[in-house]
């Protein structure tokens, strides 16, 4: 997706779905490569981060979300029923229709598929991520494990740690340190760096 179209879509999403604020903009990197690590904060987290941080980022996405055959089942469980609270059988219909839009959209954004629990495929995720980093670009990772319970105070779930391997891989290849930036999506409407 071209930069102008990306910025237009982000602007529309910000206007209609987010409209929050960024705190800590002075901490943003001037150039890449870098990795942003953010909490997912349900369905709004990825939208909030993309809308709030004025950098083009390439996000990790659950592999099922970029697979046309599997996306509807994932959307049904993770978004349609849990977030929209639509019950079966309507949730099946909504998820199938929604997947026809979301899969091509996420692919066009350059999302990198993440294969949870499949070591061989996770190597593909890391390889594709290194390709992005070599180009001096920014990655966006949401490492919360959505299968584990959320902390009652923060609402965050424990992190999976596979993303940390990128720091080692980048150093082994370049001899340089890879920058990681923590990002918190807060329910009050703030993204904090």
């Amino acid at each position: 997706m071209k930069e102008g179209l990306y910025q237009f879509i982000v602007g529309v999403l910000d206007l209609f779905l987010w409209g929050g604020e960024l705190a800590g903009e002075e901490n943003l990197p001037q150039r890449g490569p870098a990795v942003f690590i953010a909490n997912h904060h349900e369905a709004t987290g990825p939208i909030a981060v993309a809308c709030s941080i004025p950098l083009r980022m390439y996000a990790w996405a659950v592999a099922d979300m970029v697979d046309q055959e599997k996306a509807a089942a994932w959307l049904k469980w993770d978004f349609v029923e849990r977030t929209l609270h639509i019950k079966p059988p309507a949730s099946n219909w909504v998820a199938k229709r929604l997947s026809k839009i979301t899969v091509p959209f996420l692919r066009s954004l350059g999302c990198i598929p993440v294969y949870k629990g499949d070591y061989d495929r996770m190597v593909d995720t890391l390889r594709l991520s290194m390709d992005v980093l070599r180009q001096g670009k920014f990655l966006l990772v949401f490492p919360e494990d959505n299968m584990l319970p959320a902390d009652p105070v923060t609402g965050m779930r424990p992190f999976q740690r596979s993303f940390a391997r990128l720091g080692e891989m980048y150093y082994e290849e370049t001899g340089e340190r890879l920058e990681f930036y923590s990002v918190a999506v807060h329910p009050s409407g703030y993204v904090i760096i």
Side-chain angles (χ1 to χ4, degrees), residues 21-23 28-29 35-41 45 48-50 52-53 57 139-144 156 159 180-186 190-193:
E21 299 292 327
L22 173 63
L28 289 173
V35 180
F36 290 88
I37 306 300
N39 62 313
H40 206 283
H41 188 60
V49 174
S52 299
I53 297 177
M57 295 176 284
L139 283 178
L140 174 58
V141 178
F142 299 93
E144 285 180 286
M156 292 176 61
F159 280 10
F180 287 83
Y181 292 85
S182 59
V183 178
V185 179
H186 194 272
Y190 282 93
V191 170
I192 303 163
I193 306 282

Side-chain angles (χ1 to χ4, degrees), residues 114-163:
V114 177
Y115 302 91
K116 182 181 174 186
D118 185 341
Y119 175 78
D120 293 333
R121 298 300 305 269
M122 194 59 198
V123 170
D124 292 339
T125 301
L126 295 172
R127 180 184 50 76
L128 291 169
S129 298
M130 284 297 295
D131 290 345
V132 168
L133 295 171
R134 276 186 214 100
Q135 296 173 46
K137 296 179 180 177
F138 301 101
L139 283 178
L140 174 58
V141 178
F142 299 93
E144 285 180 286
D145 188 336
N146 65 356
M147 302 308 272
L148 297 175
D151 179 275
V153 175
T154 65
M156 292 176 61
R157 299 171 193 281
F159 280 10
Q160 299 174 75
R161 297 176 298 276
S162 55
F163 72 89

Side-chain angles (χ1 to χ4, degrees), residues 58-75:
Y58 295 82
W60 279 17
V62 173
D64 288 2
M65 285 295 297
V66 292
D67 183 320
Q68 195 63 64
E69 293 179 17
K70 297 178 180 178
W74 183 266
L75 281 167

